[in-house]
Amino acid sequence: MPRANPFDDPRTSPIDVAREAAERIRAITGVETHEIALVLGSGWAAAVEHLGEVTHEIPARELPGFVAPTVPGHVATIRSVRGRTGARILLLGARSHLYDGRGVRAVAHGARVAAACGAKAFVMTNASGGIRPDWKPGTPVLISDHINFTATSPVEGANFVDMGDAYSRRLRDIARQVDATLDEGVYIGFRGPQYETPAEIRAARSMGADLVGMSTVIDCIAAREAGLDVLALALITNHAAGVSDEPLTHDAVLAAGEAAEPRMAKLLADIVDAVAKEL
Ligand code: 8IG
């Protein structure tokens, strides 16, 4: 039997669920404040080796609001890391996506737990499709802004969250101090899980999108609502539909991610160190 989803009851505040999870994390780790929270998407898992020392590893099912992920290549634990600079890093596995069908509250949970753990910076990574033809699979890209094309929001009630600096310019500048060659672009978030049609990608391009995926936008909005600074790094693992002739398969996406993983791991760990020094 799967565990009951606390978000199914509309009377339960998702902020309270996040606070409970954060209290459990504090009790288990003895760490009062995790300054940085980090979400590792597909292709980014190897970064753990470089970040520092993993001091605690908590199965997702032991924390309110988290469940094991449904997709191979996604991880199911929440880890506490003592970073190379001494900063405490909360590593959030068990990310939910809209296509998992657990609702928008489950998707927003990681950002809310990060905020409840005292984080100032919320660093997300993902694998994305490239709309710009010059971005070959294996290219890392900074997300500079997003188009939320999911037709939903994690914000509940009339809270008019400012999204003017959704992907912190300051944090992007810090990332570029680590790697000046990092390109940046506008991410469009679709619900999925089907990939887009070529017509949808042409529409996305004409709206101003440079890369496409099924994560990140909801988490970003929840993070901004909670007052976190957001940095998001995408690994381009495929050309989006119609950008090249190759068919789009999850296996090919995973393979491209794996091939780039050692490079991405070092890059991400260096960026996290640089962010930690500037907190
Ligand atoms: I990796 O081409 C990855 N994730 N929506 N489209 C969407 N999500 C993706 C894609 C893509 N590639």
Side-chain angles (χ1 to χ4, degrees), residues 9 17 29 80 90 119 128 154 203 255 265:
D9 183 344
V17 181
T29 63
S80 179
L90 186 68
S128 295

Side-chain angles (χ1 to χ4, degrees), residues 133-159:
D134 53 316
W135 286 344
K136 304 281 175 282
T139 306
V141 175
L142 283 170
I143 296 178
S144 59
D145 203 344
H146 80 212
I147 297 169
N148 175 12
F149 210 65
T150 66
T152 190
S153 166
V155 181
E156 299 185 18
N159 183 7

